[in-house]
Amino acid sequence: MTLFDGSFPFYPVSRTPFLFNTSWAVILSVFLTVLATFLLILPGIRGKGRFFWFLRVILSLFIGAVILSVNFSRDWETGGVRANTSYKSFSHAMVIADVGLHIGLLGVNITLVGNPVTQINETINYNEHFAWHLGADYTHTYTDSLARGLPSPILYVAEKFTQESPCGMHSQYRISGHYTSVMLWLAFCTWLISNVLFSMPILLYGGYTILLTAVLLVCSLLFFSVARHAPLCTIRFGPAALQTVYGASFWLTLATGLLCFLLGLGVIILNSVQPETLKLVFNLSEERGEEEEDERPPRDKTGCSEQDPFLASLSEHCRVTITKL
């Protein structure tokens, strides 16, 4: 069997790596636009309330952006191994490459990067996504990958997540990812409701809602952890085994859940112990002071003046005496 243009004849197209997650780009663009809009409003806020208003906006946008981003991320669980493995089927060529596994809620990404990248007259840099969310057909994607002639390490790892595999990892990760995603969408809804309650303002119920957001985020972590603690098949490349650990999205969700818990608990405690301090944080004391000044009745110009020397001897206040005849 001969080579043609650096690849075997039954591999017609050289694969290119996936560059970035477009969902992240859309989410970050939306939240950065909202942040820029609020920064334009910031100079119009007077007094000490400017700092507290800016802090509330930053924390709220951070929580919302994290909840949406981790729902579409692909690094809830990650792992990798460097192995000396065969490159493609029906070939005795061996390559030294880093095999990576990135598990998300909607699917799994499998990477293959050569060390060095260029070996056997070919650039080894692959990043393939296999989706298992509702409406996606993992088996069809895997079959199509076989027809396209992807490298053997990618197909070997992808085969472990098929429905026909005795490992059972497909159903475990698919079900846990589905319920984790549901919890995250519920947390996003409660985050929106908490912003509405804080702006009305109904501070106590806003604190309860942000506390509920924290509970939903923790529940999402528990649902995803169920799949990890189930017995899984070992993915081996010779003597080396591919081990996975919790990824950045998992820990970021945990940190955001703790932040929501502290914020909600702080609002509830301040509302009970020091309500005036809570009103100062939400700029309610200054707004009420301005409303009282606007509602105060104007001074009567026809009334007696205390600075008039001619009327000072009569009395301190003007009185009207009615004499009955």
Side-chain angles (χ1 to χ4, degrees):
M1 184 173 293
T2 59
L3 293 173
F4 176 75
D5 195 19
S7 60
F8 289 96
F10 45 83
Y11 301 138
V13 181
S14 297
R15 301 293 298 166
T16 55
F18 181 76
L19 299 179
F20 60 94
N21 193 338
T22 55
S23 300
W24 279 8
V26 174
I27 294 171
L28 290 178
S29 299
V30 171
F31 278 89
L32 288 177
T33 303
V34 175
L35 177 61
T37 304
F38 280 112
L39 290 179
L40 293 176
I41 304 174
L42 185 62
I45 301 176
R46 298 176 295 176
K48 299 179 181 179
R50 178 182 301 177
F51 171 75
F52 292 113
W53 186 86
F54 176 74
L55 186 62
R56 295 201 318 269
V57 169
I58 292 295
L59 290 177
S60 179
L61 291 179
F62 172 77
I63 294 172
V66 168
I67 294 175
L68 276 183
S69 298
V70 298
N71 211 340
F72 298 97
S73 64
R74 298 170 182 174
D75 57 349
W76 278 77
E77 189 173 345
T78 60
V81 64
R82 178 168 294 180
N84 186 9
T85 178
S86 61
Y87 182 46
K88 291 184 178 180
S89 301
F90 307 104
S91 171
H92 298 287
M94 303 291 290
V95 296
I96 301 176
D98 296 324
V99 183
L101 179 63
H102 307 272
I103 301 174
L105 304 181
L106 305 179
V108 58
N109 269 62
I110 304 172
T111 61
L112 180 68
V113 181
N115 186 24
V117 177
T118 303
Q119 299 182 48
I120 57 173
N121 296 325
E122 186 172 345
T123 300
I124 304 175
N125 191 4
Y126 292 81
N127 189 338
E128 298 294 329
H129 179 66
F130 298 85
W132 56 47
H133 58 83
L134 296 179
D137 190 350
Y138 187 95
T139 303
H140 175 75
T141 305
Y142 176 72
T143 305
D144 183 66
S145 300
L146 289 173
R148 295 200 315 267
L150 290 181
S152 298
I154 294 180
L155 296 176
Y156 169 67
V157 177
E159 189 271 336
K160 297 291 185 180
F161 291 90
T162 57
Q163 294 179 348
E164 294 79 11
S165 174
C167 297
M169 292 192 292
H170 177 84
S171 58
Q172 293 175 5
Y173 279 102
R174 184 174 182 269
I175 295 174
S176 63
H178 173 71
Y179 285 104
T180 302
S181 180
V182 170
M183 291 294 104
L184 290 175
W185 281 115
L186 290 177
F188 182 74
C189 294
T190 55
W191 169 78
L192 290 176
I193 296 174
S194 67
N195 284 297
V196 174
L197 294 177
F198 282 137
S199 62
M200 291 182 63
I202 307 177
L203 305 183
L204 181 59
Y205 291 100
Y208 288 143
T209 310
I210 201 69
L211 200 61
L212 178 59
T213 304
V215 173
L216 291 173
L217 290 176
V218 173
C219 288
S220 68
L221 299 176
L222 294 177
F223 277 119
F224 185 79
S225 300
V226 171
R228 178 173 173 78
H229 289 288
L232 302 177
C233 292
T234 303
I235 302 175
R236 306 191 65 88
F237 293 91
L242 194 154
Q243 302 291 336
T244 59
V245 295
Y246 289 126
S249 294
F250 182 91
W251 298 115
L252 186 59
T253 305
L254 177 61
T256 306
L258 294 177
L259 176 62
C260 292
F261 177 78
L262 293 177
L263 291 176
L265 191 63
V267 169
I268 295 173
I269 293 176
L270 283 178
N271 185 79
S272 302
V273 179
Q274 294 181 346
E276 295 300 327
T277 304
L278 184 62
K279 293 176 183 177
L280 177 62
V281 173
F282 285 89
N283 300 339
L284 296 182
S285 57
E286 296 182 1
E287 294 177 0
R288 290 190 176 182
E290 294 177 358
E291 292 178 358
E292 291 177 358
E293 291 180 0
D294 295 338
E295 295 176 358
R296 185 177 299 172
R299 202 169 185 178
D300 190 2
K301 296 182 180 180
T302 60
C304 298
S305 175
E306 296 179 357
Q307 299 178 358
D308 195 341
F310 298 100
L311 300 178
S313 60
L314 294 177
S315 62
E316 295 180 359
H317 302 281
C318 293
R319 298 177 180 176
V320 178
T321 304
I322 301 176
T323 306
K324 186 181 295 184
L325 298 176

Short mmCIF file of all heavy atoms in Angstrom, two decimals, residues 65-92:
data_model
loop_
_atom_site.label_atom_id
_atom_site.label_comp_id
_atom_site.label_asym_id
_atom_site.label_seq_id
_atom_site.Cartn_x
_atom_site.Cartn_y
_atom_site.Cartn_z
N ALA A 65 -23.19 34.67 33.82
CA ALA A 65 -22.30 34.21 32.75
C ALA A 65 -21.75 32.82 33.05
O ALA A 65 -21.64 31.98 32.15
CB ALA A 65 -21.16 35.20 32.56
N VAL A 66 -21.43 32.54 34.31
CA VAL A 66 -20.90 31.23 34.66
C VAL A 66 -21.96 30.14 34.47
O VAL A 66 -21.68 29.07 33.92
CB VAL A 66 -20.39 31.24 36.12
CG1 VAL A 66 -20.12 29.82 36.61
CG2 VAL A 66 -19.12 32.08 36.22
N ILE A 67 -23.19 30.42 34.92
CA ILE A 67 -24.24 29.41 34.81
C ILE A 67 -24.50 29.04 33.35
O ILE A 67 -24.66 27.85 33.01
CB ILE A 67 -25.54 29.92 35.47
CG1 ILE A 67 -25.33 30.08 36.98
CG2 ILE A 67 -26.70 28.97 35.22
CD1 ILE A 67 -26.51 30.70 37.70
N LEU A 68 -24.51 30.03 32.47
CA LEU A 68 -24.73 29.74 31.06
C LEU A 68 -23.51 29.07 30.41
O LEU A 68 -23.65 28.15 29.60
CB LEU A 68 -25.07 31.03 30.30
CG LEU A 68 -26.53 31.49 30.34
CD1 LEU A 68 -26.71 32.72 29.47
CD2 LEU A 68 -27.47 30.38 29.86
N SER A 69 -22.31 29.54 30.75
CA SER A 69 -21.10 29.03 30.09
C SER A 69 -20.86 27.56 30.41
O SER A 69 -20.55 26.76 29.52
CB SER A 69 -19.90 29.87 30.51
OG SER A 69 -20.06 31.22 30.10
N VAL A 70 -20.98 27.19 31.69
CA VAL A 70 -20.69 25.79 32.06
C VAL A 70 -21.72 24.83 31.47
O VAL A 70 -21.44 23.64 31.33
CB VAL A 70 -20.62 25.64 33.59
CG1 VAL A 70 -19.49 26.48 34.16
CG2 VAL A 70 -21.94 26.01 34.24
N ASN A 71 -22.89 25.35 31.12
CA ASN A 71 -23.90 24.48 30.51
C ASN A 71 -23.46 24.01 29.12
O ASN A 71 -23.86 22.93 28.67
CB ASN A 71 -25.23 25.24 30.40
CG ASN A 71 -26.43 24.31 30.50
OD1 ASN A 71 -26.31 23.11 30.29
ND2 ASN A 71 -27.57 24.85 30.82
N PHE A 72 -22.64 24.82 28.45
CA PHE A 72 -22.19 24.46 27.09
C PHE A 72 -20.70 24.10 27.05
O PHE A 72 -20.17 23.87 25.97
CB PHE A 72 -22.44 25.63 26.14
CG PHE A 72 -23.89 25.99 25.99
CD1 PHE A 72 -24.45 27.02 26.74
CD2 PHE A 72 -24.71 25.29 25.13
CE1 PHE A 72 -25.79 27.36 26.61
CE2 PHE A 72 -26.06 25.61 25.00
CZ PHE A 72 -26.60 26.65 25.75
N SER A 73 -20.04 24.06 28.20
CA SER A 73 -18.61 23.78 28.22
C SER A 73 -18.36 22.29 28.04
O SER A 73 -19.26 21.46 28.18
CB SER A 73 -17.99 24.27 29.53
OG SER A 73 -18.53 23.55 30.62
N ARG A 74 -17.11 21.96 27.75
CA ARG A 74 -16.73 20.58 27.48
C ARG A 74 -15.56 20.14 28.35
O ARG A 74 -14.74 19.31 27.94
CB ARG A 74 -16.36 20.43 26.00
CG ARG A 74 -17.53 20.73 25.07
CD ARG A 74 -17.10 20.84 23.63
NE ARG A 74 -18.24 21.18 22.78
CZ ARG A 74 -18.14 21.45 21.47
NH1 ARG A 74 -16.97 21.40 20.88
NH2 ARG A 74 -19.22 21.76 20.77
N ASP A 75 -15.48 20.70 29.56
CA ASP A 75 -14.39 20.32 30.45
C ASP A 75 -14.88 20.10 31.87
O ASP A 75 -14.25 20.50 32.83
CB ASP A 75 -13.29 21.40 30.43
CG ASP A 75 -13.80 22.77 30.82
OD1 ASP A 75 -15.04 22.95 30.90
OD2 ASP A 75 -12.97 23.67 31.04
N TRP A 76 -16.02 19.42 32.01
CA TRP A 76 -16.50 19.04 33.34
C TRP A 76 -15.62 17.95 33.91
O TRP A 76 -15.44 17.85 35.12
CB TRP A 76 -17.95 18.57 33.27
CG TRP A 76 -18.94 19.69 33.27
CD1 TRP A 76 -19.26 20.51 32.23
CD2 TRP A 76 -19.72 20.13 34.38
NE1 TRP A 76 -20.19 21.43 32.63
CE2 TRP A 76 -20.50 21.21 33.94
CE3 TRP A 76 -19.85 19.70 35.70
CZ2 TRP A 76 -21.39 21.89 34.78
CZ3 TRP A 76 -20.73 20.37 36.54
CH2 TRP A 76 -21.50 21.45 36.08
N GLU A 77 -15.09 17.12 33.04
CA GLU A 77 -14.16 16.07 33.47
C GLU A 77 -13.11 15.93 32.38
O GLU A 77 -13.44 15.82 31.20
CB GLU A 77 -14.90 14.75 33.70
CG GLU A 77 -14.05 13.68 34.34
CD GLU A 77 -14.87 12.45 34.69
OE1 GLU A 77 -16.12 12.55 34.70
OE2 GLU A 77 -14.27 11.39 34.97
N THR A 78 -11.85 15.96 32.75
CA THR A 78 -10.76 15.94 31.78
C THR A 78 -9.73 14.89 32.18
O THR A 78 -9.60 14.52 33.34
CB THR A 78 -10.08 17.32 31.69
OG1 THR A 78 -9.55 17.66 32.98
CG2 THR A 78 -11.07 18.38 31.23
N GLY A 79 -9.00 14.46 31.17
CA GLY A 79 -7.92 13.50 31.40
C GLY A 79 -7.03 13.44 30.18
O GLY A 79 -7.39 13.89 29.09
N GLY A 80 -5.86 12.89 30.37
CA GLY A 80 -4.91 12.78 29.27
C GLY A 80 -3.80 11.80 29.58
O GLY A 80 -3.53 11.48 30.74
N VAL A 81 -3.15 11.35 28.52
CA VAL A 81 -2.05 10.41 28.66
C VAL A 81 -1.16 10.51 27.42
O VAL A 81 -1.65 10.79 26.32
CB VAL A 81 -2.58 8.97 28.84
CG1 VAL A 81 -3.33 8.50 27.60
CG2 VAL A 81 -1.45 8.02 29.17
N ARG A 82 0.13 10.36 27.64
CA ARG A 82 1.08 10.32 26.52
C ARG A 82 1.41 8.85 26.23
O ARG A 82 1.82 8.10 27.13
CB ARG A 82 2.35 11.09 26.86
CG ARG A 82 3.40 11.06 25.76
CD ARG A 82 4.50 12.06 26.03
NE ARG A 82 3.97 13.42 25.96
CZ ARG A 82 4.72 14.50 26.16
NH1 ARG A 82 6.00 14.38 26.47
NH2 ARG A 82 4.17 15.70 26.09
N ALA A 83 1.22 8.48 24.97
CA ALA A 83 1.36 7.07 24.63
C ALA A 83 2.08 6.91 23.31
O ALA A 83 2.04 7.80 22.44
CB ALA A 83 -0.01 6.41 24.55
N ASN A 84 2.72 5.76 23.16
CA ASN A 84 3.31 5.34 21.90
C ASN A 84 2.34 4.35 21.28
O ASN A 84 2.25 3.19 21.71
CB ASN A 84 4.67 4.71 22.14
CG ASN A 84 5.39 4.38 20.85
OD1 ASN A 84 4.95 4.76 19.76
ND2 ASN A 84 6.49 3.65 20.94
N THR A 85 1.57 4.78 20.31
CA THR A 85 0.45 3.99 19.80
C THR A 85 0.44 4.00 18.29
O THR A 85 1.10 4.82 17.63
CB THR A 85 -0.88 4.58 20.33
OG1 THR A 85 -1.96 3.83 19.79
CG2 THR A 85 -1.03 6.03 19.93
N SER A 86 -0.32 3.07 17.72
CA SER A 86 -0.50 3.03 16.27
C SER A 86 -1.33 4.22 15.83
O SER A 86 -2.23 4.68 16.56
CB SER A 86 -1.17 1.72 15.86
OG SER A 86 -2.46 1.62 16.46
N TYR A 87 -1.05 4.70 14.65
CA TYR A 87 -1.68 5.93 14.19
C TYR A 87 -3.03 5.66 13.54
O TYR A 87 -4.06 6.22 13.94
CB TYR A 87 -0.76 6.67 13.23
CG TYR A 87 -1.31 7.99 12.75
CD1 TYR A 87 -1.89 8.89 13.62
CD2 TYR A 87 -1.25 8.33 11.41
CE1 TYR A 87 -2.40 10.10 13.18
CE2 TYR A 87 -1.73 9.53 10.95
CZ TYR A 87 -2.31 10.42 11.84
OH TYR A 87 -2.80 11.60 11.39
N LYS A 88 -3.06 4.80 12.52
CA LYS A 88 -4.30 4.52 11.81
C LYS A 88 -4.40 3.03 11.52
O LYS A 88 -3.41 2.29 11.57
CB LYS A 88 -4.38 5.33 10.51
CG LYS A 88 -4.56 6.82 10.73
CD LYS A 88 -4.73 7.57 9.44
CE LYS A 88 -4.94 9.07 9.69
NZ LYS A 88 -5.11 9.84 8.45
N SER A 89 -5.61 2.61 11.22
CA SER A 89 -5.86 1.19 10.94
C SER A 89 -5.12 0.76 9.67
O SER A 89 -4.88 1.58 8.77
CB SER A 89 -7.36 0.94 10.78
OG SER A 89 -8.05 1.33 11.95
N PHE A 90 -4.82 -0.51 9.62
CA PHE A 90 -4.12 -1.12 8.48
C PHE A 90 -2.76 -0.48 8.24
O PHE A 90 -2.28 -0.43 7.12
CB PHE A 90 -4.97 -1.03 7.20
CG PHE A 90 -6.36 -1.56 7.36
CD1 PHE A 90 -7.44 -0.69 7.47
CD2 PHE A 90 -6.60 -2.92 7.43
CE1 PHE A 90 -8.72 -1.17 7.63
CE2 PHE A 90 -7.88 -3.41 7.59
CZ PHE A 90 -8.95 -2.53 7.69
N SER A 91 -2.18 0.05 9.30
CA SER A 91 -0.86 0.67 9.19
C SER A 91 -0.03 0.25 10.40
O SER A 91 -0.54 0.18 11.52
CB SER A 91 -0.98 2.19 9.12
OG SER A 91 0.30 2.79 9.21
N HIS A 92 1.26 0.00 10.15
CA HIS A 92 2.16 -0.36 11.23
C HIS A 92 2.91 0.85 11.78
O HIS A 92 3.78 0.70 12.64
CB HIS A 92 3.18 -1.41 10.74
CG HIS A 92 2.53 -2.69 10.31
ND1 HIS A 92 1.99 -3.60 11.20
CD2 HIS A 92 2.32 -3.22 9.06
CE1 HIS A 92 1.49 -4.63 10.54
NE2 HIS A 92 1.68 -4.43 9.24
#
